[in-house]
Amino acid sequence: MVRSLQRLLVGCLLIVVLAFGVLFSIQNTDKAALDLLIIQLPEQRVSLWVLLAFATGGIVGLLVSSAAIIRLKSQGLLLQRKLDKREKELANLRTADFRAPITAKPNKGSKS
């Protein structure tokens, strides 16, 4: 149920963002060329340049955060393996028989 509610909210958010993008594009019809120092891109609508910059930033953000998430998950798996190993070792120590054989120790103070 929570999963379907989450999907519904994400879907609604996506529709709202798309609607704002369309309205933004309709309202901003001026054209401008984009100069990136090395290359000059052809003249396009300003709204297109802004939406492309927004989308590019979102994709770059997803890629960077994905790399961080993968790194953290691999660290978590490594720590989980170490924890499992320690728990097995502890369980073995708890069930091990540590009864030492009883040996008679001679008293130092007694004379034979």
Side-chain angles (χ1 to χ4, degrees):
M1 173 147 171
V2 174
R3 190 105 169 147
S4 60
L5 182 62
Q6 183 181 10
R7 286 184 182 176
L8 179 67
L9 289 174
V10 169
C12 289
L13 182 66
L14 188 62
I15 290 171
V16 168
V17 168
L18 270 166
F20 276 116
V22 169
L23 289 173
F24 180 77
S25 181
I26 290 171
Q27 295 294 323
N28 295 292
T29 57
D30 296 338
K31 291 190 174 194
L34 191 61
D35 187 5
L36 300 174
L37 297 178
I38 301 171
I39 58 173
Q40 185 166 355
L41 298 174
E43 196 170 272
Q44 293 290 331
R45 296 168 82 177
V46 173
S47 60
L48 178 67
W49 292 129
V50 171
L51 291 175
L52 283 175
F54 180 73
T56 303
I59 291 170
V60 169
L62 283 174
L63 290 174
V64 170
S65 64
S66 295
I69 289 171
I70 290 170
R71 184 177 48 84
L72 289 172
K73 283 192 176 192
S74 66
Q75 285 178 348
L77 286 173
L78 178 65
L79 290 172
Q80 186 63 44
R81 280 191 220 128
K82 286 182 179 181
L83 178 63
D84 291 342
K85 183 179 175 183
R86 300 301 190 269
E87 285 177 347
K88 284 180 185 177
E89 185 178 342
L90 183 59
N92 287 339
L93 289 173
R94 285 182 177 160
T95 58
D97 189 14
F98 284 113
R99 287 182 248 162
I102 301 173
T103 58
K105 293 184 182 178
N107 289 337
K108 292 182 180 179
S110 65
K111 293 181 183 178
S112 310

